[in-house]
Amino acid sequence: MNDETAKILDRVQSQMKKGVLEYCILLILQHHEAYSADLLALLKENDLIVVEGTLYPLLNRLRKEELVTYAWVESTQGPPRKYYFITDKGREVLAQLSTAWGSLTGAVEQIQRQATLEAVPSSEVETPLEQVPDDQTSDEGAREQMIGKEESVNDLYKEV
C-alpha cells in the first residue's frame, strides 16, 4: 500500500471510529458505571480510540447533553475516582442509536450483497466501446459484436 492510500485509509477509518464512539460509550454504561480509565482501556482494546485526549471531551459533551452523569467514588488506591453512569435520557438516546445502528449496518450489508450479485467477473468484462480506439472499431462487425456483449452485461443488471 502506498503512502497516499494509507493516508486515505487512516482518514476514513478515523472518521468511522469517531462516528461510533458515543454509541459505544453508552453501550458500555448501559450495564454498569465505569471509571474513565476503564472506558479508555476497553475502547483501546477494541481499537476504537488511541489517545486519552479524545475520550475526555467526548465524556464532557455527553454530560452536558445529560446523556451521562458522574459521581466521585472513594478509592482504596489513591484519590477519589470519577465514575460515569448513563442517565434515563442517555438510555432513550441509546435505544434510538441502536435502531439507527441496525439500519446503517443493514444498509451497508445490503449494498455489499447487491454489489456482489452485480459484480461481473473481470474475465467477462469487455472494454467499453467509448474506450476502444477508433482504429479498432472501424470494422462494423467488431462494433456490433461489442455492442451485443455490452447489452448482455446490461441485461445482468436488470435481472438483479
Side-chain angles (χ1 to χ4, degrees):
M1 176 179 345
N2 65 36
D3 288 344
E4 184 179 343
T5 302
K7 287 178 185 178
I8 292 169
L9 186 60
D10 286 346
R11 177 185 51 79
V12 172
Q13 286 178 333
S14 175
Q15 290 300 313
M16 293 169 92
K17 289 175 185 180
K18 286 177 186 177
V20 299
L21 276 177
E22 291 179 37
Y23 179 51
C24 290
I25 289 170
L26 293 175
L27 280 171
I28 294 165
L29 295 177
Q30 78 176 328
H31 298 294
H32 55 82
E33 73 280 352
Y35 178 50
S36 57
D38 295 334
L39 285 170
L40 185 63
L42 188 56
L43 293 170
K44 279 185 174 182
E45 179 182 318
N46 288 284
D47 197 28
L48 287 173
I49 197 170
V50 181
V51 294
E52 290 180 40
T54 305
L55 179 63
Y56 295 107
L58 181 55
L59 287 170
N60 194 40
R61 186 171 71 242
L62 292 173
R63 186 188 56 77
K64 285 181 180 179
E65 293 172 343
E66 300 176 348
L67 303 180
V68 301
T69 189
Y70 65 85
W72 289 99
V73 177
E74 290 296 324
S75 171
T76 58
Q77 302 173 355
R81 294 180 173 187
K82 189 187 287 188
Y83 279 81
Y84 289 87
F85 303 83
I86 191 170
T87 64
D88 288 342
K89 182 178 177 182
R91 288 184 191 284
E92 290 174 24
V93 169
L94 176 59
Q96 295 300 313
L97 287 174
S98 292
T99 300
W101 179 255
S103 296
L104 179 64
T105 57
V108 171
E109 289 168 359
Q110 180 67 21
I111 289 171
Q112 287 174 325
R113 282 191 298 275
Q114 288 173 337
T116 302
L117 289 174
E118 292 176 1
V120 178
S122 59
S123 62
E124 295 180 21
V125 174
E126 296 289 336
T127 305
L129 201 52
E130 304 82 48
Q131 294 178 6
V132 177
D134 286 336
D135 63 335
Q136 291 183 14
T137 58
S138 58
D139 179 273
E140 272 309 303
R143 179 183 286 271
E144 287 175 22
Q145 186 179 9
M146 288 194 69
I147 290 171
K149 286 185 180 181
E150 192 173 277
E151 288 171 357
S152 66
V153 170
N154 289 337
D155 291 341
L156 286 175
Y157 287 110
K158 289 177 190 173
E159 291 174 13
V160 175

